[in-house]
Amino acid sequence: MYKKHLVSSLLAISLSTMAAASWASAGHGNSEKVSDADVDRTITVEAGDMWFDPEDIEASTGETIKFEITNTGGIEHEFTIGDESAQEEHRDMMQEMSEGDGGHHMSEGGDGMASVTIEPGETKELVWTVPDSAKSLEYACNIPGHYESGMYGNVTVK
């Protein structure tokens, strides 16, 4: 009986560790592989606790941007870029995950959305190309409560 509980406990710990590692991976929605030569510009973003700096970004359709995001806050944050409806959908998914299984399941879709999770003190890169169909975009932290606390910014598409 003891051996059975030990094996079950070790399996649960292993699965929890794998789920946490996949959530915190360097680009849980950024599957785009681009060389530095293909990047049009780099934007440095600071993620503090419940704010981003800069608060607004200008971009052009088709432009490939490398975001270098540093989490200077004391808690985990996310940098997700996409249109308003995709952000809302992702925020709902994040809320469900916080109430449910804890797994993080996201992929970059046809909506051009991409995301990265950044632990306190970490800097991560996210390379993203502004979709040709982009009109109104925003970047946000969709960890429950963060967006509602003001952790988002606008992308003005030219």
Side-chain angles (χ1 to χ4, degrees), residues 25-55:
S25 65
H28 61 269
N30 184 27
S31 59
E32 188 175 358
K33 302 294 180 205
V34 177
S35 73
D36 282 344
D38 294 326
V39 171
D40 295 311
R41 69 179 163 139
T42 300
I43 297 175
T44 301
V45 176
E46 183 179 355
D49 286 337
M50 305 312 155
W51 51 267
F52 284 115
D53 183 30
E55 294 178 5

Side-chain angles (χ1 to χ4, degrees), residues 82-102:
D83 66 27
E84 186 178 335
S85 65
Q87 293 281 9
E88 187 173 328
E89 183 178 319
H90 184 62
R91 207 165 21 264
D92 290 345
M93 179 201 66
M94 295 287 286
Q95 183 63 43
E96 288 173 17
M97 286 179 3
S98 73
E99 297 168 353
D101 65 18

Side-chain angles (χ1 to χ4, degrees), residues 29-35 38-43 57-69 79-83 87 106 108-116 125-139 154-157:
N30 184 27
S31 59
E32 188 175 358
K33 302 294 180 205
V34 177
S35 73
D38 294 326
V39 171
D40 295 311
R41 69 179 163 139
T42 300
I43 297 175
I57 294 171
E58 289 187 0
S60 300
T61 59
E63 181 179 22
T64 299
I65 302 169
K66 176 169 54 173
F67 292 95
E68 292 178 346
I69 308 108
F79 181 86
T80 301
I81 191 161
D83 66 27
Q87 293 281 9
M106 182 184 162
E108 184 172 3
D111 57 11
M113 190 166 179
S115 184
V116 65
E125 293 181 353
L126 179 97
V127 177
W128 174 77
T129 301
V130 182
D132 290 337
S133 61
K135 291 182 174 53
S136 176
L137 297 168
E138 64 182 3
Y139 49 97
N154 295 309
V155 179
T156 302
V157 181

Side-chain angles (χ1 to χ4, degrees), residues 18-25 28 76 78 94 97-98 102-104 117 143:
M18 288 189 308
S22 69
W23 181 328
S25 65
H28 61 269
E76 177 182 69
E78 173 186 76
M94 295 287 286
M97 286 179 3
S98 73
H104 193 111
T117 302
I143 293 174

